[in-house]
Amino acid sequence: MQTDDTHFMELALAVAREAASRGEVPVGAIIVSGGEVVGSGYNCREELRSPLGHAEIVAIQAASNHVGGWRLNECDIYVTLEPCLMCMGAILQARMRRLVFGCLDPKAGAVESLFRLCEDQRLNHQLPATGGVLASNCATILAEFFQSLRQRKRVTQKAERWPSPVEGA
């Protein structure tokens, strides 16, 4: 299982890189059934102009379309970042078999960081979760994206403060 987890997380990382190339927060999700990818998604909130544009939501919709139903109980989801409340809700509602994620999300994570929804007995569905798969790679792509974003913001702010000498001529 470990080899498969690494393989599918590498696919999720490739999808996350696609998000980054589009200026989106680089989170990728892959849904697998029977060793086959049945859905994938990356963060696309800016592109869709929607708060629902999370990688997991996009991947769940794609997988539901592929299998022809909303129950994904034979599917495993691989996500580069620990899912948030909204995405964990969707994963639970889809009755996923298993969740595998890369790095923790201390500000919004709903698997280990802030909440533990996968194991909450008050809910009608629980699922096993494995975290830390390629965690360093998953954290690095996010860190590099936000570092680049902060750098671009500094350059833009500096340009706005100090107009070009040619502008006043």
Side-chain angles (χ1 to χ4, degrees):
M1 190 64 85
Q2 182 72 0
T3 304
D4 287 346
D5 286 353
T6 300
H7 169 71
F8 290 120
M9 189 60 71
E10 286 171 350
L11 295 178
L13 275 163
V15 176
R17 285 185 201 92
E18 175 65 23
S21 76
R22 295 170 173 266
E24 299 278 359
V25 175
V27 177
I30 298 291
I31 298 179
V32 177
S33 179
E36 174 191 354
V37 174
V38 295
S40 69
Y42 57 82
N43 270 13
C44 54
R45 290 192 309 175
E46 301 301 326
E47 184 179 323
L48 295 180
R49 296 182 178 146
S50 171
L52 302 177
H54 285 215
E56 299 93 325
I57 303 295
V58 174
I60 289 169
Q61 187 62 62
S64 293
N65 292 344
H66 182 85
V67 303
W70 64 269
R71 284 184 181 87
L72 301 177
N73 53 332
E74 296 298 318
C75 297
D76 302 331
I77 185 167
Y78 294 82
V79 187
T80 57
L81 179 65
E82 178 186 9
C84 69
L85 274 169
M86 176 179 71
C87 294
M88 269 313 306
I91 291 166
L92 290 165
Q93 288 297 317
R95 310 296 195 267
M96 293 276 190
R97 181 175 58 193
R98 182 168 174 253
L99 163 66
V100 179
F101 67 92
C103 60
L104 293 171
D105 184 351
K107 293 183 179 182
V111 181
E112 292 181 22
S113 296
L114 297 179
F115 305 97
R116 300 182 84 73
L117 293 183
C118 289
E119 59 195 44
D120 193 324
Q121 295 297 311
R122 297 170 297 177
L123 301 173
N124 67 342
H125 181 68
Q126 292 82 40
L127 72 155
T130 302
V133 176
L134 298 180
S136 177
N137 303 51
C138 295
T140 297
I141 191 172
L142 285 161
E144 288 173 351
F145 175 81
F146 285 114
Q147 181 180 17
S148 173
L149 195 64
R150 285 189 296 274
Q151 180 61 32
R152 285 193 308 264
K153 189 174 182 179
R154 277 193 290 267
V155 168
T156 302
Q157 287 174 343
K158 191 175 185 180
E160 289 172 354
R161 261 185 277 153
W162 304 105
S164 168
V166 179
E167 288 179 19

